[in-house]
Amino acid sequence: MRHHIITSIDELTDHQERWEELRRRCEGSLFTSYALLRSWLEAHSDTVRPCVILVEGGGDLHGIAPLASQEYRVGGLRIRSRSMIGDLRGALGLSNLSVLSEPDRPEVVDEM
């Protein structure tokens, strides 16, 4: 198992099909779908950037941690945060956010 971190929206395109296959296997909600999360990232691209962790092994995608990075200032102090895609400080967010990990594969979450 190895992980790979996606830091641009354009890089996500290469993983759309495998993302959705994994979501179906994991019975992930609509809120973890590729289309919804990519749309959210595009809508908020001025304030967040993807930091999506993909866990792969044997040529297959076994896990996704759909994270985003944000930077903002509080009283002149620069704050950097990382949270689930759809969870943006001061904005309406998405519900039922979670990582996608194949059932009965605890090593996938460990790799994340």
Side-chain angles (χ1 to χ4, degrees):
M1 289 256 153
R2 66 178 183 83
H3 70 273
H4 174 71
I5 300 175
I6 304 288
T7 58
S8 78
I9 294 173
D10 292 337
E11 277 183 273
L12 287 175
T13 304
D14 296 338
H15 305 283
Q16 179 177 359
E17 186 176 314
R18 294 186 321 144
W19 182 309
E20 284 303 299
E21 288 171 2
L22 177 63
R23 185 175 71 87
R24 284 189 289 277
R25 287 195 313 269
C26 297
E27 298 180 1
S29 76
L30 171 68
F31 294 102
T32 59
S33 71
Y34 173 89
L36 184 59
L37 295 181
R38 182 182 174 115
S39 295
W40 188 92
L41 284 168
E42 289 172 346
H44 296 286
S45 64
D46 58 329
T47 56
V48 300
R49 62 184 173 84
C51 186
V52 178
I53 302 170
L54 304 178
V55 178
E56 302 168 298
D60 295 322
L61 184 61
H62 299 288
I64 302 170
L67 304 174
S69 298
Q70 177 185 19
E71 187 175 298
Y72 56 93
R73 294 194 174 271
V74 174
L77 181 64
R78 185 172 68 171
I79 307 293
R80 293 181 187 165
S81 68
R82 190 164 291 143
S83 60
M84 301 299 286
I85 293 174
D87 183 19
L88 179 62
R89 181 177 183 269
L92 183 62
L94 301 174
S95 298
N96 298 324
L97 304 171
S98 67
V99 300
L100 295 172
S101 176
E102 288 185 329
D104 304 321
R105 299 286 306 259
E107 70 273 18
V108 173
V109 175
D110 290 344
E111 182 65 25
M112 287 178 192

